[in-house]
Amino acid sequence: MLHPLVKILGLIALASATPLWPLSWLSLTLLALLLANRAARPFASLWRIRWLLLTILILYAGFTAGEPLFAQTPGISREGLFEALRRCAVLVVLIQAVSLLMRTTPLPQITRGLSALLLPLRWFGFDH
């Protein structure tokens, strides 16, 4: 069993790496996380952020310059739609990763892991 600090550091590493990943890697990671979260109704958390996902989709697809998706829709670009899907995938991957962490690690262990993560702040005079 992994120490909670290792799990939290893995989540931080995932959060810093996913914005740089192509859509194919994000899709595979999302599939793995959905399979890992299958017992915990993974789509319930997505339903809660549906308006945020729709907003990201509209803003990126509608306001990113590029080649029009269809001749009849000059405001929606292919590049914008692709970037919107990628940004939504990053958000969904991170939400599923946090959901998996919360489901597999009891809250007292997460608290201990966060406390261990903040322990080096003592060296600078901060209370961890």
Side-chain angles (χ1 to χ4, degrees):
M1 182 141 170
L2 289 176
H3 191 277
L5 177 61
V6 175
K7 291 180 181 182
I8 293 170
L9 287 174
L11 183 64
I12 291 171
L14 183 71
S16 63
T18 51
L20 305 173
W21 289 356
L23 194 56
S24 58
W25 288 14
L26 289 168
S27 301
L28 290 175
T29 306
L30 180 59
L31 180 64
L33 286 168
L34 287 173
L35 288 174
N37 276 332
R38 70 183 180 276
R41 296 179 46 220
F43 295 105
S45 59
L46 298 181
W47 183 252
R48 292 185 196 120
I49 63 160
R50 65 188 181 276
W51 298 114
L52 178 60
L53 293 173
L54 181 64
T55 302
I56 290 171
L57 191 65
I58 290 170
L59 289 177
Y60 273 95
F63 296 105
T64 301
E67 182 183 341
L69 188 60
F70 300 109
Q72 298 83 7
T73 58
I76 301 174
S77 66
R78 292 177 196 262
E79 292 84 0
L81 185 62
F82 179 76
E83 188 62 24
L85 292 175
R86 206 174 71 74
R87 296 291 178 165
C88 288
V90 167
L91 183 60
V92 170
V93 163
L94 293 178
I95 286 173
Q96 292 301 316
V98 169
S99 175
L100 182 64
L101 175 72
M102 296 296 289
R103 191 174 61 82
T104 60
T105 311
L107 191 57
Q109 287 185 3
I110 291 175
T111 305
R112 275 196 300 268
L114 286 173
S115 180
L117 182 66
L118 298 175
L119 195 59
L121 291 178
R122 274 193 344 198
W123 302 336
F124 300 107
F126 294 105
D127 185 23
H128 72 284

